[in-house]
Amino acid sequence: MQTTTLSFENLHNHGELFANMLRARRELFIERNKWKLPEALGMEYDQYDTPASRWVVVHDELGEVLAGNRLTPTTARCGIYTYMIRDAQLGLLDTIPSNLLYAEAPVAETVWESSRLFVSQKVPLMQRRPIYFNLVQELAKAARSLGATQCLTLLNANWHLWNKRVGIDMTAMGPVMEIDGINNQVVSMNFASNLH
């Protein structure tokens, strides 16, 4: 198992890994979850897959994607869009309720958003926990290397059952709300206490 943090600067060094990650996202989010998302060439993408973002990908030595995640700076801007959680709060995304946060969505150099977090359905249940742990640890490492002390993410509301196991300090930033039949909640992952 390997973990790679991709950016538009290093995509060329990793062959099909970025495309494979977008294909894995399509398999999960469009085919399995039936989300109505943009797709092309068998890949899922959206307005946040830009040069401002980074992608943490867990994969095997052949490039088979096991898990992935996207990191976007809260300072990003592309047309009317910034980052997913803020844009939902501003009413720009009709699939996510606008009351997902207790306070105004932050915009700061030290705050990034983690989105499109997934573990491939091809991964057997017994192997999911170590893969998920590896993904979250690498996400934290990548975020810290970008100067982030905090990451916001929209997660399944059961996050409090496993966050201590992955060693990340997490705090609820909004109410539990049902989205597509699943209870979700915006959570802050705090990296300030362990930046070294």
Side-chain angles (χ1 to χ4, degrees):
M1 178 170 44
Q2 302 172 18
T3 308
T4 303
T5 299
L6 297 171
S7 70
F8 270 56
E9 289 180 317
N10 71 7
L11 289 179
H12 65 284
N13 295 324
H14 300 284
E16 286 283 303
L17 188 58
F18 184 70
N20 288 344
M21 187 245 344
L22 295 177
R23 290 180 185 110
R25 281 179 20 183
R26 182 185 178 279
E27 284 177 18
L28 178 64
F29 298 129
I30 294 176
E31 290 180 10
R32 182 178 180 275
N33 293 357
K34 307 295 184 205
W35 293 359
K36 297 197 182 320
L37 299 170
E39 62 178 304
L41 304 173
M43 296 176 249
E44 181 270 320
Y45 67 95
D46 66 20
Q47 62 271 34
Y48 309 108
D49 291 308
T50 72
S53 293
R54 306 293 187 274
W55 299 265
V56 178
V57 184
V58 180
H59 55 96
D60 66 16
E61 59 281 345
L62 301 175
E64 177 79 20
V65 174
L66 307 173
N69 178 76
R70 176 179 59 212
L71 291 170
T72 303
T74 60
T75 56
R77 188 161 201 89
C78 183
I80 63 170
Y81 298 105
T82 59
Y83 66 96
M84 191 181 68
I85 291 170
R86 182 170 187 263
D87 290 347
Q89 187 180 56
L90 294 173
L92 297 174
L93 306 177
D94 59 4
T95 56
I96 302 173
S98 61
N99 61 340
L100 74 169
L101 289 170
Y102 295 133
E104 188 175 330
V107 175
E109 295 285 336
T110 58
V111 182
W112 283 59
E113 177 189 57
S114 166
S115 59
R116 287 296 197 265
L117 191 142
F118 72 93
V119 175
S120 170
Q121 292 301 298
K122 295 177 182 175
V123 175
L125 198 56
M126 296 290 288
Q127 295 175 12
R128 286 175 174 264
R129 186 178 288 173
I131 287 171
Y132 189 73
F133 178 81
N134 193 20
L135 175 64
V136 173
Q137 290 300 310
E138 192 64 27
L139 178 162
K141 183 176 156 189
R144 285 185 201 109
S145 75
L146 296 165
T149 58
Q150 177 185 12
C151 262
L152 299 183
T153 188
L154 181 62
L155 291 177
N156 187 306
N158 71 359
W159 60 271
H160 63 279
L161 299 174
W162 53 260
N163 72 303
K164 296 224 186 329
R165 281 184 271 172
V166 294
I168 303 292
D169 176 29
M170 299 170 85
T171 307
M173 299 294 287
V176 173
M177 55 183 50
E178 185 181 320
I179 302 172
D180 289 330
I182 299 169
N183 284 333
N184 289 275
Q185 189 170 31
V186 175
V187 175
S188 169
M189 295 183 281
N190 178 20
F191 304 133
S193 61
N194 50 4
L195 278 173
H196 42 73

